[in-house]
Amino acid sequence: MEKKRLFKYMFTALIAVLFLSSCSSRKSFSKQKTTLNLMQTSDLTTLDNTNQATMSEFSTLTNLDEGLYKLNSKNEVVPAIAKTIAKPTNNGKTYTINLRKDARWSNGDKVTAQDFVYSWRRSVDPANKPVYTYVFSGIKNADAVIAGKISPSKLGIKAIGKYKLEIILEHPMQSFNKLVTMPVFLPQDKVFVQKIGTKKYGSNAKYTVSNGAFKITKWTGINDSYLLVKNKYYYAKKRVKLNKISYTTIKDDNTAYNLFKTNKLDDATVSGVVAQGLQNNKNLKKVSRAWTYYLQVNQSKGSPLANAKLRKAVSLVINRKELTQKVLGDGSTPAGSFVSPKTAIDPTTGKDFSTETATSMQSNVKEAKRLWKEGLSEIGKSSVTLSLIAEDTETQKKVAEYIQSTVQSNLSNVSVKVQNLPAKSLSNKKTAGEFDLSLWYWLADYADPINYLGILTTGNSMNPGKYSDSVFDSYLANAQTAKTKSIYWANLRDAEKKLQKTTGIVPLYYVKEDHLVQSGLSGVVYHTAGFADYTRSYWK
């Protein structure tokens, strides 16, 4: 009996120890696995979605806020703050959208129809110095408001009560539902913004509120790290498994890789030499993006590259295959058009739009030299010095050096001066037109060629190179007002071909984004167009 009793006590004690150990382990595991460590390649400068359009801003806003609609894991448009996907009336020109009543801002305020009206008006108000205005074109009176001809209050959006919106277009827009998934169409808490002032809004964590799964903390507006914490007012907070997302700005690939190896980054992007050596790594995930790197070319009056022959010569000397394979080595591919592959299938032909419109990606140094000589003669100069500006990231430094070397070694009487600058300084220089070539990129916000081509129309705020071609503009105008798919896609094809023929920009390569992802991370939605959504991610 004593032995049985002793065994019983020992067994009970063992179970208790195991139980406590299990609880302790689970507690430790849970604590460790409810935070996600991510990186940005450039500093976050603002979270005011009405007057900026940087990658760090948009990628952060994707995980902070929700608009009317969002994209699911299949890149399909689904409701977010809207209760359902609205069907247009009035021959496709009027959208009446009912909003959910349980959506709240991170300060507890309710998300209302007026918050959308307020934000959209700010996004087209010239007084706010917006940079992403062209996407509003097609919404009633948007162009006139942007031009400063009429008040922002005349924009075709109004609140009908507290939870209903009416949006009126000037013409049917086939891409409208995809369009409004962009961060620029997010709402803003009108009461909060007006209380603190529009100049302060989005400048740091204290002056920012969000309506999505997380809210931002520990961001001063100038520091290179910040934290997203779970928003207790989020209507779907039970579906959010993470408690925190920690962001750090990392511009160097080696640093990103080392932080990943030491478990200080859970999802790291790498490129160049670092990516080349990791192509067989078990943690490597290749993500297809609707993302094109290109050279913006300053075509303002008096600029040397306003000459079409000189622009074409620069494009022809670049060996894109060498650039992608030897300089990048991360799976990125040579670009023969502005619109990247897998952005959209042309429904009228059944072909990938990028593929069907691309021109030759082969370099032609002999032809480039001929054009360069003729171009210099036409502008009356024997030599030129070109300024090439780029961001101060590791990748852009390498690409800029390659462009500099290639142009100088293949074309005569030219010097290329490179400046690698922080994102804000780069933006300021472009706005001031202080460049000849600017290394830049376009990451599609929604999966439609018009999202690329539309930024290059005359006078567009996203067109610092001042490319201007009346025929190109007419193709875009025809597409925007097209009543049929055939007219829409035919004009987009013509616009892409015209852009290439006139060398409005110099396409370089299509990004294949390399991610190092810690095993066990699941639920991340890597959108081809737009930005990665981590709001439903979790650890297995």
Side-chain angles (χ1 to χ4, degrees), residues 432-443:
E434 297 174 356
F435 70 97
D436 293 305
L437 294 168
S438 173
L439 178 60
W440 200 235
Y441 55 81
W442 188 254
L443 175 56

Side-chain angles (χ1 to χ4, degrees), residues 101-126:
K101 297 180 180 180
D102 55 351
R104 290 180 178 270
W105 295 98
S106 53
N107 61 356
D109 291 348
K110 291 185 176 182
V111 180
T112 68
Q114 192 59 47
D115 292 337
F116 283 91
V117 174
Y118 179 69
S119 178
W120 289 25
R121 286 177 178 174
R122 286 197 68 219
S123 292
V124 294
D125 186 351

Side-chain angles (χ1 to χ4, degrees), residues 317-381:
V317 295
I318 298 170
N319 187 325
R320 291 161 176 81
K321 186 176 181 180
E322 183 178 61
L323 171 62
T324 54
Q325 293 185 357
K326 295 184 178 181
V327 178
L328 297 169
D330 56 3
S332 297
T333 55
S337 64
F338 188 27
V339 178
S340 64
K342 296 186 178 180
T343 296
I345 298 296
D346 181 341
T348 63
T349 64
K351 298 178 181 178
D352 183 283
F353 181 87
S354 178
T355 304
E356 71 177 349
T357 57
T359 56
S360 173
M361 295 171 280
Q362 296 294 320
S363 60
N364 189 333
V365 176
K366 183 178 180 180
E367 176 66 4
K369 288 182 175 181
R370 182 186 69 81
L371 290 171
W372 186 256
K373 184 178 180 180
E374 291 179 4
L376 286 178
S377 178
E378 288 177 3
I379 66 171
K381 291 188 176 183

